[in-house]
Amino acid sequence: MSWQTYVDDHLMCDLGDEQRLTAAAIIGHDGSVWAQSANFPQLKPEEIEGINKDFAEPGTLAPTGLFINGAKYMVIQGEPNAVIRGKKGAGGVTIKKTTMALVFGIYEEPVTPGQCNMVVERLGDYLIESGL
């Protein structure tokens, strides 16, 4: 299965009532894009560095915020070395760290934070179990 299939079929899947994530991607720890939805924002190298640093040292993004292509998300919760969750207006982001990659899901209402978390973290857990 290609990485693009994981994004298209698992991350950008229908969540019911024609709802789906706004954008999604699988990105290597080094910032290389493995696959992404057509409208996923371009990440800057310093943004990837900040995300990786927060996974290594939880709480480093909380004071400054999480940035994705210059858009600031307030870090609301997470799990050390596993998940970062951010909020911006009526939407937000979930980032799940796997052995080799970061799985991103970006959402806007009416999609809920819980729906985004479920989709992103389920795929991330599957990739971890697969050694990826």
Side-chain angles (χ1 to χ4, degrees):
M1 187 183 309
S2 78
W3 290 112
Q4 193 62 48
T5 304
Y6 283 110
V7 171
D8 296 342
D9 296 351
H10 298 280
L11 295 174
M12 298 300 291
C13 63
D14 187 351
L15 300 171
D17 296 330
E18 300 294 313
Q19 297 176 21
R20 55 182 30 105
L21 298 180
T22 307
I26 301 172
I27 297 177
H29 291 173
D30 63 357
S32 60
V33 176
W34 294 11
Q36 64 184 16
S37 60
N39 57 348
F40 189 81
Q42 182 68 42
L43 286 162
K44 299 173 183 171
E46 61 271 19
E47 294 170 341
I48 289 286
E49 288 171 22
I51 291 165
N52 283 325
K53 184 174 182 184
D54 195 77
F55 278 122
E57 302 168 36
T60 57
L61 286 178
T64 59
L66 162 66
F67 288 87
I68 297 178
N69 194 25
K72 183 177 181 178
Y73 290 78
M74 180 176 61
V75 178
I76 52 172
Q77 69 180 96
E79 297 165 29
N81 212 26
V83 180
I84 298 171
R85 298 183 186 103
K87 186 89 172 116
K88 178 176 157 271
V93 62
T94 302
I95 307 168
K96 172 75 174 181
K97 180 181 180 188
T98 73
T99 310
M100 298 168 58
L102 303 170
V103 180
F104 286 77
I106 298 174
Y107 67 93
E108 293 289 336
E109 286 184 341
V111 173
T112 67
Q115 288 173 304
C116 182
N117 295 343
M118 181 187 69
V119 170
V120 171
E121 293 176 37
R122 185 170 51 199
L123 178 60
D125 289 340
Y126 170 77
L127 294 177
I128 290 168
E129 289 167 13
S130 302
L132 302 167

